[in-house]
Amino acid sequence: MYPNTSREGIPIYFFIVTCEHGGNAIPAPYHDLFRDQQALLDSHRGYDAGALPMAQKLATAFDGALVTATVSRLLVDLNRSIGHPQLFSAMTRRLSPAMREEILAHYYRPYRERVETLVRQAVSEGKRVIHISSHSFTPELDGKVRRADIGLLYHPARDGEVKLCAHWRASLAALAPALRVRRNYPYAGKGDGLTAYLRLRFSASSYIGIELEVNQHIVQSDAAMWTTLGALLPDSLRAACAVAAA
């Protein structure tokens, strides 16, 4: 495990791992909205396959805080800001404002507030937060094949995020040269999301937010590599943190 302590002159780290799209559950009051939609719920649009177990492995390896959700992103997307056009799906967007607010009150706000509270508490104690938001991506989208195994998403203007992702990628290259690791791919790290929200509230010196993206081809079709990643990602991140803190 990576301790949340360090030698004199080096920041004390607090690790928090989150998973916004960990499952495809639809609470009972909303079952009718998703009648005959199980195939959609089971697809990449319903949840991020593998993201939850990877989040659990990372949190365990770093003795960090873990915040996860298993309600489907098709009910409400916990990785989108209030007002974002994709916050609600086609099934829930047509609900009345009162019903949408009820969903936010029961599922969205408690999750986001829990994460923000943990970050704020750690920062108030003088710790530097490393937040890993665990996700996965479909191998092909709109006919375009994604050419990566791992994506590391960060904001290019946040020096701590840039350096940690560079070290993490280098560590992965040393441990698994054949693994295709790309930065800010298949999405831009500065786009809307939970990490973007937290960057607005915490300085670059106190908060590092990285979205980890794993190709779902590995999760669903390459059992050997998926098992390997369960150890490889924590080990490589540990090595990257050690270099970044040196």
Side-chain angles (χ1 to χ4, degrees), residues 24-41 45-46 71-76 88-95 103:
N24 60 357
I26 298 296
Y30 307 102
H31 281 179
D32 286 348
L33 294 174
F34 293 88
R35 191 183 303 275
D36 301 323
Q37 296 292 335
Q38 193 58 51
L40 180 64
L41 288 167
R45 292 179 61 192
V71 66
S72 176
R73 68 201 302 174
L74 294 174
L75 184 76
V76 61
F88 292 103
S89 70
M91 279 70 73
T92 53
R93 200 174 297 128
R94 62 176 182 262
L95 293 172
I103 291 172

Side-chain angles (χ1 to χ4, degrees), residues 37 60 83 109 111 149 156 208 216 226 237:
Q37 296 292 335
T60 298
R109 289 195 174 91
Y111 183 91
D149 299 311
I208 292 174
Q216 290 173 9
W226 178 233
L237 178 57

Side-chain angles (χ1 to χ4, degrees), residues 62-201:
F62 287 86
D63 196 22
L66 177 65
V67 183
T68 66
T70 55
V71 66
S72 176
R73 68 201 302 174
L74 294 174
L75 184 76
V76 61
D77 194 331
L78 304 181
N79 203 38
R80 292 287 174 251
S81 298
I82 299 291
H84 192 281
Q86 294 178 348
L87 177 67
F88 292 103
S89 70
M91 279 70 73
T92 53
R93 200 174 297 128
R94 62 176 182 262
L95 293 172
S96 69
M99 293 184 71
R100 293 199 303 272
E101 179 55 39
E102 184 177 89
I103 291 172
L104 293 175
H106 280 84
Y107 305 103
Y108 181 93
R109 289 195 174 91
Y111 183 91
R112 304 273 292 218
E113 289 169 3
R114 173 62 176 159
V115 176
E116 185 173 356
T117 296
L118 286 168
V119 175
R120 192 172 302 282
Q121 180 178 344
V123 170
S124 71
E125 295 171 353
K127 298 173 183 176
R128 192 176 196 188
V129 172
I130 295 180
H131 170 205
I132 307 297
S133 178
S134 179
H135 295 268
S136 65
F137 62 94
T138 183
E140 183 177 330
L141 184 65
D142 298 330
K144 185 176 181 179
V145 175
R146 267 80 174 271
R147 301 192 181 282
D149 299 311
I150 301 292
L152 304 176
L153 313 188
Y154 60 93
H155 197 298
R158 308 267 287 199
D159 189 58
E161 296 180 12
V162 173
K163 288 182 177 178
L164 183 55
C165 283
H167 293 315
W168 198 356
R169 185 187 187 196
S171 179
L172 283 166
L175 294 171
L179 200 65
R180 300 173 300 171
V181 182
R182 298 181 64 175
R183 289 174 287 178
N184 281 333
Y185 183 91
Y187 309 105
K190 64 181 181 180
D192 183 62
L194 180 56
T195 54
Y197 170 87
L198 293 169
R199 290 183 192 119
L200 295 175
R201 284 150 181 81

